[in-house]
């Protein structure tokens, strides 16, 4: 696997703009599979000062109420990649087809970083090994140093 870094440029932005970066990868189809798959990394500045467990539960509850045919597979808080994290895995109906999403939320202090794997229920297992390698390789930038005043 090659290393991928999302930062490709530096530029000035107004302070009132909020970074809601989205990085998306289209995955190769499973052999004999019928669906498209993707891996998407997003940033959510909406976490703010909310404690991470409360933020995660709020997001999971909102998803469960808003998607037709929602069926939860897994919901758990855990620690990974040196951060508090939450695992939300579910299926829902879209355009007469069932989609399977696996979302891992990471606490990024005032933001949340969300990694989403999307596939059909029949194809999710095909992407499992690659997904686990990608997630194991994820390294967050260190937080800014706390200023020390004499």
């Amino acid at each position: 696997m090659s290393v991928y870094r999302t930062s490709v440029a530096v530029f000035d932005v107004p302070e009132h703009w909020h970074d809601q970066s989205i990085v998306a990868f289209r995955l190769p189809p499973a052999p004999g599979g019928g669906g498209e798959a993707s891996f998407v990394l997003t940033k959510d500045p909406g976490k703010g000062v909310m404690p991470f467990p409360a933020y995660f539960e709020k997001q999971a509850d909102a998803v469960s109420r808003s998607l037709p045919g929602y069926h939860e597979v897994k919901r758990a808080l855990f620690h990974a990649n040196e951060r508090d994290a939450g695992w939300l895995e579910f299926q829902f109906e879209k355009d007469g087809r069932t989609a399977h999403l696996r979302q891992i939320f990471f606490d990024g202090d005032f933001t949340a970083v969300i990694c989403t794997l999307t596939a059909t229920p029949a194809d999710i297992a095909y992407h499992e090994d690659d997904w686990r390698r990608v997630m194991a390789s994820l390294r967050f930038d260190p937080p800014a140093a706390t200023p020390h005043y004499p």
Side-chain angles (χ1 to χ4, degrees), residues 11 20 27 30-31 38 54 56-57 62-64 67 72 77 81 87 93 96 99-103 125 134:
F11 52 96
Q20 291 185 286
L27 282 56
S38 64
F56 174 71
E57 288 301 321
V63 167
S64 71
L67 296 176
E72 193 164 287
L77 290 170
N81 304 67
W87 181 311
E93 301 296 322
H100 190 120
L101 277 74
R102 179 181 295 163
Q103 294 186 302
V134 168

Side-chain angles (χ1 to χ4, degrees), residues 33-111:
E36 293 187 12
S38 64
F39 178 81
V40 177
L41 186 141
T42 55
K43 285 174 61 177
D44 180 9
K47 180 190 167 288
V49 296
M50 186 182 305
F52 181 75
Y55 166 82
F56 174 71
E57 288 301 321
K58 180 180 175 187
Q59 295 302 312
D61 289 343
V63 167
S64 71
R65 288 190 310 272
S66 66
L67 296 176
Y70 179 88
H71 167 72
E72 193 164 287
V73 175
K74 182 176 183 175
R75 183 190 299 204
L77 290 170
F78 64 107
H79 194 80
N81 304 67
E82 300 180 8
R83 305 241 175 153
D84 288 336
W87 181 311
L88 181 63
E89 189 163 348
F90 57 92
Q91 296 176 356
F92 73 100
E93 301 296 322
K94 181 180 177 188
D95 301 327
R97 298 177 70 189
T98 303
H100 190 120
L101 277 74
R102 179 181 295 163
Q103 294 186 302
I104 306 298
F105 292 73
F106 292 98
D107 188 358
D109 294 324
F110 297 105
T111 64

